[in-house]
Amino acid sequence: MSGLNRVGVCSEEFDTESAQTFRKDGGRRTGLLDVMLAAMTLLSAAFILLTFPLTAWRCVQVVQEYERAVIFRLGRVVRGARGPGLFWIIPWLDVIQTVDLRTASFNILPQEVLTADGVPLKVDAVVFYRVVEPSLWVTRVENGYQATQTLAQTTLRATLGAHTLTDVLTQRRSITERMEEVLLTSRQWGVQVERVELKDLTLPVSLQRCMASEAEAARRARAEMILAEGEVKASRALKEAASGLSPVALQLRYLQSLSSVPSSASIVVFCFPTDLLDMFFPHQQISAGT
């Protein structure tokens, strides 16, 4: 056991010493490279000054207002992106990559998504983005456009998969805002997602038929309820009107109803005195007397 402990301690000491040695060597190499870079830059600047009329046309670069230039000098990024307008470079030491800062967009191809309640959907969207840090856009990601598009596709599938079909149909704005929050992680690449919009939602044909049948049944039930409420209100109004009529007014109403009956060969109207009704409905006499 003691031998094993000694071996473990020796290995840890060796790792620590090797790490410190690596840091020292790396620091020395970095310092040596910095000195060499400074010396080559000074020599290049002196050469440019001596041959200024001849080399000026190669040392001047121009970028547009919506562009920025990221300069690599001997493989290292020069601090800060250059532009817009005119700037100077050392043509045999510098490599330039131009980045467009304008807002761009791309379409997310239709994705097969399964919602939280098990409904399959086919949805596509559009994403608007722009580069805010040109240096990070060039150095942190190999293909920023493809990386942003892939992240948007996976975010779309994950976000819609966490919502039900009703939420997807009624809360589209909140879903897109959630996607924008998730896509803020792409800021580490130097890109900012400005807006996400869902373009189209495609439901299965069978589900569309079921939803149409459900909506039609709901409309029919609502229409029948409205009709029933109208009949109830009409019957109440007739009851109130009949209770307020006097016997004379009731007799006039009876005669008016007879006159409004259309004359036709298939309709026969017999006039019957209302006084004779007392023989058949004696309870009306009682109620009238009371």
Coordinates of all heavy atoms in Angstrom, one line a residue, residues 236-283:
R236 N -92.6 34.4 -23.2 CA -92.8 35.3 -22.0 C -93.5 36.6 -22.4 O -94.3 37.1 -21.7 CB -91.4 35.5 -21.4 CG -90.8 34.3 -20.7 CD -89.4 34.6 -20.2 NE -88.9 33.5 -19.5 CZ -87.6 33.5 -19.0 NH1 -86.8 34.5 -19.1 NH2 -87.2 32.4 -18.4
A237 N -93.0 37.1 -23.6 CA -93.7 38.4 -24.0 C -95.1 38.2 -24.3 O -96.0 39.0 -24.0 CB -92.9 38.9 -25.3
L238 N -95.5 37.1 -25.0 CA -96.9 36.8 -25.3 C -97.7 36.6 -24.0 O -98.9 37.0 -23.9 CB -97.0 35.5 -26.2 CG -96.5 35.7 -27.6 CD1 -96.6 34.3 -28.3 CD2 -97.4 36.7 -28.3
K239 N -97.1 35.9 -23.0 CA -97.8 35.7 -21.7 C -98.1 37.0 -21.1 O -99.2 37.3 -20.5 CB -97.0 34.8 -20.8 CG -97.6 34.5 -19.5 CD -96.8 33.6 -18.7 CE -97.4 33.3 -17.3 NZ -96.6 32.4 -16.5
E240 N -97.1 37.9 -21.0 CA -97.3 39.2 -20.4 C -98.3 40.0 -21.2 O -99.2 40.7 -20.6 CB -95.9 40.0 -20.4 CG -94.9 39.4 -19.5 CD -93.6 40.1 -19.5 OE1 -93.5 41.1 -20.3 OE2 -92.7 39.7 -18.8
A241 N -98.3 39.9 -22.5 CA -99.3 40.7 -23.3 C -100.7 40.2 -23.1 O -101.7 40.9 -23.0 CB -99.0 40.6 -24.8
A242 N -100.9 38.8 -23.0 CA -102.2 38.2 -22.8 C -102.8 38.6 -21.4 O -104.0 38.8 -21.2 CB -102.1 36.7 -23.0
S243 N -101.9 38.6 -20.4 CA -102.4 38.9 -19.1 C -102.8 40.3 -18.9 O -103.6 40.6 -18.0 CB -101.2 38.6 -18.0 OG -100.1 39.4 -18.3
G244 N -102.4 41.2 -19.8 CA -102.8 42.6 -19.7 C -104.0 43.0 -20.5 O -104.4 44.1 -20.6
L245 N -104.5 42.0 -21.3 CA -105.7 42.3 -22.2 C -107.0 42.2 -21.4 O -107.2 41.3 -20.6 CB -105.7 41.4 -23.4 CG -104.6 41.5 -24.4 CD1 -104.7 40.4 -25.5 CD2 -104.7 42.9 -25.1
S246 N -107.9 43.2 -21.7 CA -109.2 43.1 -21.1 C -110.1 42.2 -21.9 O -109.7 41.8 -23.0 CB -109.8 44.5 -21.0 OG -109.9 45.1 -22.3
P247 N -111.3 41.8 -21.5 CA -112.2 41.0 -22.3 C -112.5 41.6 -23.6 O -112.6 40.9 -24.7 CB -113.4 40.8 -21.4 CG -112.9 40.9 -20.0 CD -111.8 42.0 -20.1
V248 N -112.7 42.9 -23.7 CA -113.1 43.6 -24.9 C -111.9 43.5 -25.9 O -112.0 43.3 -27.1 CB -113.5 45.0 -24.7 CG1 -113.8 45.8 -26.0 CG2 -114.7 45.1 -23.8
A249 N -110.7 43.8 -25.3 CA -109.5 43.8 -26.1 C -109.2 42.4 -26.6 O -108.7 42.2 -27.8 CB -108.3 44.3 -25.3
L250 N -109.5 41.4 -25.8 CA -109.3 40.0 -26.2 C -110.2 39.6 -27.3 O -109.9 38.9 -28.3 CB -109.5 39.1 -25.0 CG -109.2 37.6 -25.3 CD1 -107.8 37.4 -25.7 CD2 -109.6 36.8 -24.0
Q251 N -111.5 40.2 -27.3 CA -112.4 39.9 -28.4 C -112.0 40.6 -29.6 O -112.1 40.0 -30.7 CB -113.8 40.4 -27.9 CG -114.9 40.2 -28.9 CD -115.3 38.7 -29.0 OE1 -115.0 37.9 -28.1 NE2 -115.9 38.2 -30.1
L252 N -111.5 41.8 -29.6 CA -111.0 42.5 -30.8 C -109.8 41.8 -31.4 O -109.7 41.7 -32.6 CB -110.6 43.9 -30.4 CG -111.8 44.9 -30.0 CD1 -111.3 46.2 -29.6 CD2 -112.8 45.0 -31.2
R253 N -109.0 41.3 -30.5 CA -107.8 40.5 -31.0 C -108.2 39.2 -31.7 O -107.6 38.8 -32.7 CB -106.9 40.2 -29.8 CG -105.6 39.4 -30.2 CD -104.8 40.2 -31.2 NE -103.6 39.4 -31.5 CZ -102.8 39.7 -32.6 NH1 -103.1 40.8 -33.3 NH2 -101.7 39.0 -32.8
Y254 N -109.3 38.6 -31.2 CA -109.8 37.4 -31.8 C -110.4 37.7 -33.2 O -110.1 37.0 -34.1 CB -110.9 36.8 -30.9 CG -111.7 35.7 -31.5 CD1 -111.1 34.5 -31.7 CD2 -113.1 35.9 -31.8 CE1 -111.8 33.4 -32.3 CE2 -113.8 34.8 -32.3 CZ -113.2 33.6 -32.6 OH -113.9 32.6 -33.1
L255 N -111.1 38.8 -33.3 CA -111.7 39.2 -34.6 C -110.6 39.5 -35.6 O -110.6 39.2 -36.8 CB -112.7 40.3 -34.5 CG -113.9 40.0 -33.6 CD1 -114.8 41.3 -33.5 CD2 -114.7 38.9 -34.3
Q256 N -109.5 40.2 -35.1 CA -108.4 40.5 -36.0 C -107.7 39.3 -36.5 O -107.2 39.2 -37.6 CB -107.4 41.5 -35.2 CG -106.3 42.0 -36.1 CD -105.3 42.9 -35.3 OE1 -105.5 43.1 -34.1 NE2 -104.4 43.4 -36.0
S257 N -107.5 38.3 -35.6 CA -106.9 37.1 -36.0 C -107.7 36.4 -37.1 O -107.2 35.8 -38.0 CB -106.7 36.2 -34.8 OG -105.9 36.8 -33.8
L258 N -109.1 36.4 -37.0 CA -109.9 35.8 -38.0 C -109.8 36.5 -39.3 O -109.7 35.9 -40.4 CB -111.4 35.8 -37.5 CG -111.8 34.9 -36.4 CD1 -113.2 35.1 -36.0 CD2 -111.5 33.4 -36.7
S259 N -109.7 37.8 -39.3 CA -109.5 38.6 -40.5 C -108.2 38.4 -41.2 O -108.0 38.5 -42.4 CB -109.7 40.1 -40.3 OG -108.7 40.6 -39.4
S260 N -107.2 38.0 -40.4 CA -105.8 37.8 -41.0 C -105.6 36.4 -41.6 O -104.6 36.1 -42.2 CB -104.8 38.0 -39.9 OG -104.9 37.1 -38.9
V261 N -106.6 35.5 -41.4 CA -106.5 34.2 -41.9 C -106.7 34.3 -43.5 O -107.6 34.9 -44.0 CB -107.6 33.2 -41.4 CG1 -107.5 31.9 -42.0 CG2 -107.4 33.1 -39.9
P262 N -105.7 33.7 -44.3 CA -105.8 33.9 -45.7 C -107.0 33.1 -46.2 O -107.3 32.0 -45.8 CB -104.5 33.3 -46.2 CG -104.0 32.4 -45.1 CD -104.5 33.0 -43.8
S263 N -107.7 33.6 -47.2 CA -108.8 33.0 -47.8 C -108.3 32.0 -48.9 O -107.6 32.3 -49.8 CB -109.7 34.0 -48.5 OG -109.0 34.7 -49.5
S264 N -108.7 30.7 -48.7 CA -108.3 29.7 -49.6 C -109.4 28.6 -49.6 O -110.2 28.5 -48.7 CB -107.0 29.1 -49.3 OG -106.6 28.0 -50.1
A265 N -109.4 27.8 -50.7 CA -110.4 26.8 -50.8 C -110.1 25.7 -49.9 O -111.0 24.9 -49.5 CB -110.4 26.2 -52.3
S266 N -108.9 25.5 -49.5 CA -108.5 24.4 -48.5 C -108.7 24.8 -47.1 O -108.4 24.0 -46.2 CB -107.1 24.0 -48.8 OG -106.2 25.0 -48.6
I267 N -109.0 26.1 -46.8 CA -109.1 26.5 -45.4 C -110.6 26.9 -45.2 O -111.1 27.8 -45.9 CB -108.2 27.7 -45.2 CG1 -106.7 27.3 -45.4 CG2 -108.4 28.3 -43.7 CD1 -105.7 28.4 -45.2
V268 N -111.2 26.4 -44.2 CA -112.6 26.7 -43.8 C -112.6 27.2 -42.4 O -112.0 26.6 -41.5 CB -113.5 25.4 -43.9 CG1 -114.9 25.8 -43.5 CG2 -113.5 24.9 -45.3
V269 N -113.1 28.4 -42.2 CA -113.1 29.1 -40.9 C -114.6 29.1 -40.4 O -115.5 29.5 -41.1 CB -112.6 30.5 -41.1 CG1 -112.6 31.2 -39.7 CG2 -111.2 30.5 -41.6
F270 N -114.8 28.6 -39.2 CA -116.1 28.7 -38.5 C -116.0 29.7 -37.4 O -115.1 29.6 -36.5 CB -116.4 27.3 -38.0 CG -116.7 26.3 -39.0 CD1 -115.7 25.4 -39.5 CD2 -118.0 26.1 -39.6 CE1 -115.9 24.4 -40.4 CE2 -118.2 25.2 -40.6 CZ -117.2 24.4 -41.0
C271 N -116.9 30.6 -37.4 CA -116.9 31.6 -36.3 C -117.7 31.0 -35.1 O -118.8 30.5 -35.2 CB -117.6 32.8 -36.7 SG -116.7 33.7 -38.1
F272 N -117.1 31.0 -34.0 CA -117.6 30.4 -32.8 C -117.7 31.5 -31.7 O -116.6 32.1 -31.3 CB -116.8 29.2 -32.3 CG -117.4 28.4 -31.3 CD1 -118.4 27.4 -31.6 CD2 -117.1 28.5 -29.9 CE1 -119.0 26.7 -30.6 CE2 -117.7 27.7 -29.0 CZ -118.6 26.8 -29.3
P273 N -118.8 31.8 -31.1 CA -118.9 32.8 -30.1 C -118.0 32.4 -28.9 O -118.1 31.3 -28.4 CB -120.4 32.9 -29.8 CG -121.1 32.3 -30.9 CD -120.1 31.2 -31.5
T274 N -117.3 33.4 -28.4 CA -116.5 33.1 -27.2 C -117.3 32.9 -25.9 O -116.8 32.3 -25.0 CB -115.5 34.3 -27.0 OG1 -116.3 35.5 -26.9 CG2 -114.6 34.4 -28.2
D275 N -118.6 33.4 -25.9 CA -119.3 33.2 -24.7 C -119.7 31.7 -24.5 O -119.9 31.3 -23.4 CB -120.7 34.0 -24.8 CG -120.4 35.5 -24.9 OD1 -119.3 35.9 -24.4 OD2 -121.2 36.2 -25.4
L276 N -119.8 31.0 -25.6 CA -120.1 29.5 -25.5 C -118.9 28.7 -24.9 O -119.1 27.6 -24.5 CB -120.5 29.0 -26.8 CG -121.7 29.5 -27.5 CD1 -122.0 28.9 -28.8 CD2 -122.9 29.3 -26.6
L277 N -117.7 29.3 -24.9 CA -116.5 28.6 -24.3 C -116.7 28.5 -22.8 O -116.0 27.6 -22.2 CB -115.3 29.4 -24.7 CG -114.9 29.5 -26.2 CD1 -113.6 30.3 -26.3 CD2 -114.6 28.1 -26.7
D278 N -117.5 29.3 -22.2 CA -117.7 29.2 -20.8 C -118.3 27.8 -20.4 O -118.1 27.4 -19.3 CB -118.5 30.3 -20.2 CG -117.8 31.7 -20.4 OD1 -116.6 31.7 -20.6 OD2 -118.5 32.7 -20.5
M279 N -119.1 27.3 -21.3 CA -119.7 26.0 -21.0 C -118.6 24.9 -20.9 O -118.8 23.9 -20.2 CB -120.7 25.6 -22.1 CG -121.9 26.7 -22.2 SD -123.0 26.3 -23.6 CE -123.4 24.6 -23.2
F280 N -117.6 25.0 -21.7 CA -116.5 24.0 -21.7 C -115.4 24.3 -20.8 O -114.7 23.4 -20.3 CB -116.0 23.9 -23.1 CG -117.0 23.6 -24.2 CD1 -117.6 24.5 -25.0 CD2 -117.4 22.2 -24.3 CE1 -118.5 24.2 -25.9 CE2 -118.4 21.9 -25.3 CZ -118.9 22.9 -26.1
F281 N -115.2 25.6 -20.4 CA -114.1 25.9 -19.5 C -114.6 26.7 -18.3 O -114.6 27.9 -18.3 CB -113.0 26.8 -20.2 CG -112.4 26.1 -21.4 CD1 -112.9 26.4 -22.7 CD2 -111.5 25.1 -21.3 CE1 -112.4 25.7 -23.8 CE2 -110.9 24.5 -22.4 CZ -111.4 24.8 -23.7
P282 N -115.3 26.0 -17.4 CA -115.9 26.7 -16.3 C -114.9 27.4 -15.4 O -115.2 28.3 -14.6 CB -116.7 25.6 -15.6 CG -116.1 24.4 -16.0 CD -115.6 24.5 -17.4
H283 N -113.6 26.9 -15.4 CA -112.6 27.4 -14.5 C -112.3 28.9 -14.9 O -111.8 29.6 -14.0 CB -111.3 26.6 -14.6 CG -110.7 26.6 -15.9 ND1 -111.1 25.7 -16.9 CD2 -109.7 27.3 -16.4 CE1 -110.4 25.9 -18.0 NE2 -109.5 26.9 -17.7

